[in-house]
Amino acid sequence: MISVVIPTYNCRQYIEKAVRSALLQTIQEELEVIVIDDASTDGTKEAIGQIAAEAAEIPHRSFVYYCSEVNLGVAEARNTGIRMAKGELLAFLDADDWWDLDKLEKQAGLLRKTGAQLVYSGRELMQCDGQPLGKVIGVPETTTYRNLLRTNCIPCSSVLMRTATAREFYMCHDELHEDYILWLRILQKYGQAYGIDEPLLKSRLSAGGKSRNKLKSAKMHYGVYKYMGIGPWKAAWLFLCYAVNGVKKYR
């Protein structure tokens, strides 16, 4: 079984597209979609009702909805999903993103073939209204801890990983890039991850996303280096690499 964890907070206008892109995956094995509603106030719960009814009619698919009474933050919302997951494999999907329908099929094959702990994919950038921006961001076929320090090439919504590995580390520090910390800790222990250089992820650039405020994102990125115990001189060099790679990525 594969478990898909979708944290959501006030994303009623997007959540249905995200969930359906997970439920309708072409992979021929059991799949559960877990939506963690982080105390939304926009009527997300009502929107979820129709999706749950649709999921019940799809073979080999199950749907779980959990609504927190308090706002947990995205890291702990994902951790809640990790704890609830029944699958051997685990995928993350943000509520404002969506996938190509063969995304999990391609990635599960790669993960099992390589024996990796984690695989990822490229992405296509989309406007808030879901229209293409005409920009595809590719990924390397492999990455290591050392390479990942220079640039975070692993989009969170593109990841498929082993559930046991996610439970070994979990996510932390919402005030930083919580997903980047997780990938670094995994690769620090397990060596390398594998990528599919295809835009299997459609990544919506929503107005409130962390990455939209470049100065804030840069400070958070440098904070990850401090969290990982990297000294100031090396951190400064790595941050310069990150900045140069960021310019190349989005130009």
Side-chain angles (χ1 to χ4, degrees), residues 6-238:
I6 305 178
T8 184
Y9 176 70
N10 289 346
C11 282
R12 177 174 181 165
Q13 70 271 40
Y14 302 139
I15 188 67
E16 293 182 41
K17 189 175 186 69
V19 171
R20 288 195 178 98
S21 79
L23 287 171
L24 298 176
Q25 288 290 301
T26 58
I27 192 164
Q28 297 297 304
E29 63 182 88
E30 295 289 330
L31 188 151
E32 67 170 354
V33 177
I34 305 171
V35 172
I36 306 298
D37 186 344
D38 199 11
S40 295
T41 58
D42 66 343
T44 292
K45 187 173 183 178
E46 289 71 23
I48 290 295
Q50 179 62 36
I51 301 172
E54 292 177 17
E57 302 298 321
I58 305 174
H60 310 296
R61 301 291 182 263
S62 60
F63 182 78
V64 179
Y65 175 68
Y66 174 85
C67 185
S68 175
E69 294 183 358
V70 296
N71 186 261
L72 303 170
V74 68
E76 188 53 31
R78 291 196 188 109
N79 289 342
T80 299
I82 292 169
R83 287 188 286 267
M84 294 173 63
K86 297 177 182 176
E88 168 205 2
L89 303 181
L90 180 77
F92 296 110
L93 177 59
D94 287 350
D96 53 354
D97 295 338
W98 69 95
W99 292 333
D100 282 355
L101 296 185
D102 59 353
K103 188 256 192 192
L104 293 181
E105 183 177 357
K106 290 181 175 180
Q107 288 191 306
L110 177 63
L111 189 145
R112 287 164 175 154
K113 176 183 177 181
T114 60
Q117 303 299 314
L118 182 154
V119 296
Y120 54 94
S121 79
R123 57 184 168 139
E124 181 179 4
L125 300 184
M126 316 299 286
Q127 300 178 46
C128 287
D129 63 2
Q131 295 301 308
L133 272 170
K135 176 68 175 178
V136 171
I137 299 180
V139 293
E141 291 185 0
T142 63
T143 192
T144 63
Y145 173 75
R146 183 177 178 181
N147 292 336
L148 199 64
L149 284 171
R150 292 183 172 88
T151 179
N152 182 11
C153 62
I154 303 180
C156 187
S157 288
S158 80
V159 165
L160 177 68
M161 63 183 301
R162 299 185 188 275
T163 304
T165 305
R167 288 175 177 160
E168 185 178 355
F169 297 100
Y170 286 100
M171 290 198 179
C172 61
H173 289 284
D174 273 338
E175 76 280 7
L176 303 176
H177 291 298
E178 70 287 333
D179 55 333
Y180 185 32
I181 291 173
L182 178 59
W183 318 147
L184 286 169
R185 294 174 73 194
I186 290 171
L187 295 191
Q188 191 176 41
K189 178 174 180 179
Y190 289 104
Q192 66 180 356
Y194 292 79
I196 296 177
D197 190 19
E198 299 176 28
L200 302 178
L201 165 65
K202 309 308 177 188
S203 184
R204 198 188 305 261
L205 294 181
S206 56
K210 288 182 180 180
S211 61
R212 297 307 297 271
N213 186 326
K214 298 304 181 185
L215 179 58
K216 180 180 179 181
S217 183
K219 290 179 178 177
M220 293 163 67
H221 193 96
Y222 190 83
V224 171
Y225 295 147
K226 293 179 66 176
Y227 174 84
M228 295 299 297
I230 296 170
W233 289 109
K234 184 176 181 180
W237 166 248
L238 291 171

